[in-house]
Amino acid sequence: MTDSQLNPASAEPAIVTTEIEGPRPQIPVALSTSCLFPLGVHETFSTAVDLGYDSVEVMITHTALSQEPYDLLNLVQEYQIPISAIHAPTLLLTQQVWGRAWNKMQMAAKMTKAVGADVIVAHPPFRWQKTYAKNFVAGVREISEHEGVKIAVENMYPWSFKGKAIEMYAPHWEPSRFDYDWITWDFSHAAAANDDSLEAVKRIGSRLGHLHLTDGSGDKLMDEHLVPGHGSQPVAETLQYLATTDFAGVVCAEVSTRKAKGAAERDEWLYETLQFARTHLAR
């Protein structure tokens, strides 16, 4: 038996090593195919690479290319940029894509897995989709768990008709009121609903699975999708807050460029959006 075993006080002190935690990884920034509407998926991949985005979000539309995993993977290979999100065809204009409501969600889940994306963005049901809306919260969770993918339900807003607000979504346009596992937050939709995005993101907490980077003036019940910093939402403050958290999702540009005067101005807006994100998400 050694002296140190006989007399513990005489033993050399143990060396305790503490692993120093490094900085959190930079939050990636994606480009949505909706930003280049009416152009298509191919042009979005090309623009994303040219401007320096980290990934692409594909919105499923009537365009065949947006619906084919094999073709999308060919674009991933060609441009060497991943697909981080799939936007399910749950918009009013895509009601005929992929058939019935639950079929849309199931096919979006399979598409997400096939292309290696992280999350599905889905809008809440319209009020006339009564059966779909009745079981929506539970149904989303069931498909998410069965397919092993995140389904992040997006915040929407009341519609306006003759100056009056109309509730168009069920169970509601504000998803944080319900027990969804994951939520997508959209700044333009928040502006149309006169909601405060910073407070909402804090309220949602760890359930925030995806973010649509844009802005809105909040003057009317209107979905504007402005370049961030050109509206009234606390976009910069929200991104700065996210940079201090463990948010592990993707921030995706969803800016409308239809009013841009040509490709040069369109790319200028999208580059400004990317730089805005990188500046305020810096960790």
Side-chain angles (χ1 to χ4, degrees):
M1 185 174 290
T2 65
D3 291 341
S4 61
Q5 289 172 313
L6 288 170
N7 183 11
S10 66
E12 292 292 329
I15 299 175
V16 179
T17 59
T18 302
E19 184 176 346
I20 299 175
E21 183 179 350
R24 295 183 180 91
Q26 184 71 20
I27 297 171
V29 185
L31 180 66
S32 169
T33 55
S34 66
C35 291
L36 274 80
F37 182 84
L39 298 178
V41 180
H42 202 292
E43 290 85 356
T44 303
F45 272 82
S46 177
T47 301
V49 171
D50 289 344
L51 298 182
Y53 279 83
D54 299 307
S55 61
V56 170
E57 176 182 309
V58 176
M59 178 177 285
I60 307 302
T61 66
H62 296 86
T63 305
L65 179 56
S66 71
Q67 303 177 27
E68 296 293 338
Y70 180 80
D71 293 335
L72 291 175
L73 287 173
N74 281 340
L75 291 178
V76 169
Q77 183 65 29
E78 177 181 351
Y79 288 100
Q80 292 295 294
I81 187 172
I83 298 172
S84 55
I86 294 293
H87 196 307
T90 49
L91 285 72
L92 187 61
L93 295 177
T94 57
Q95 288 299 291
Q96 303 307 314
V97 177
W98 287 354
R100 294 181 178 273
W102 285 121
N103 189 60
K104 295 173 185 287
M105 205 70 74
Q106 289 169 339
M107 291 188 67
K110 294 183 185 302
M111 167 80 83
T112 300
K113 293 170 66 176
V115 301
D118 302 314
V119 64
I120 300 168
V121 178
H123 290 186
F126 292 105
R127 294 194 69 84
W128 59 80
Q129 297 174 302
K130 294 182 180 180
T131 303
Y132 180 47
K134 182 179 179 180
N135 302 307
F136 186 67
V137 178
V140 164
R141 177 173 290 113
E142 182 179 342
I143 293 176
S144 178
E145 292 177 351
H146 183 265
E147 297 292 343
V149 296
K150 293 181 181 179
I151 302 177
V153 179
E154 187 170 4
N155 65 307
M156 298 305 290
Y157 52 91
W159 288 17
S160 178
F161 181 72
K162 294 183 178 181
K164 295 183 179 180
I166 303 176
E167 298 292 341
M168 292 295 291
Y169 299 96
H172 199 266
W173 49 264
E174 219 290 47
S176 69
R177 299 184 178 195
F178 302 91
D179 189 27
Y180 297 113
D181 290 330
W182 302 101
I183 291 173
T184 294
W185 193 259
D186 184 298
F187 289 98
S188 179
H189 297 174
N194 290 314
D195 206 347
D196 184 299
S197 289
L198 179 58
E199 292 305 315
V201 165
K202 289 180 178 180
R203 180 173 68 245
I204 293 167
S206 61
R207 293 193 295 156
L208 183 67
H210 196 63
L211 196 77
H212 276 163
L213 178 59
T214 180
D215 208 340
S217 65
D219 293 337
K220 301 177 182 179
L221 293 173
M222 185 180 296
D223 188 16
E224 299 169 290
H225 285 276
L226 304 176
V227 173
H230 290 239
S232 60
Q233 282 289 301
V235 187
E237 295 85 348
T238 304
L239 297 186
Q240 290 164 11
Y241 168 75
L242 279 181
T244 68
T245 70
D246 293 324
F247 176 67
V250 173
V251 171
C252 178
E254 200 179 62
V255 171
S256 175
T257 62
R258 282 173 285 180
K259 294 183 179 180
K261 299 174 182 177
E265 185 172 45
R266 177 201 69 206
D267 289 354
E268 180 182 332
W269 293 0
L270 297 178
Y271 184 72
E272 179 183 343
T273 300
L274 176 61
Q275 293 309 306
F276 184 99
R278 293 260 168 84
T279 297
H280 296 293
L281 288 172
R283 284 173 163 172

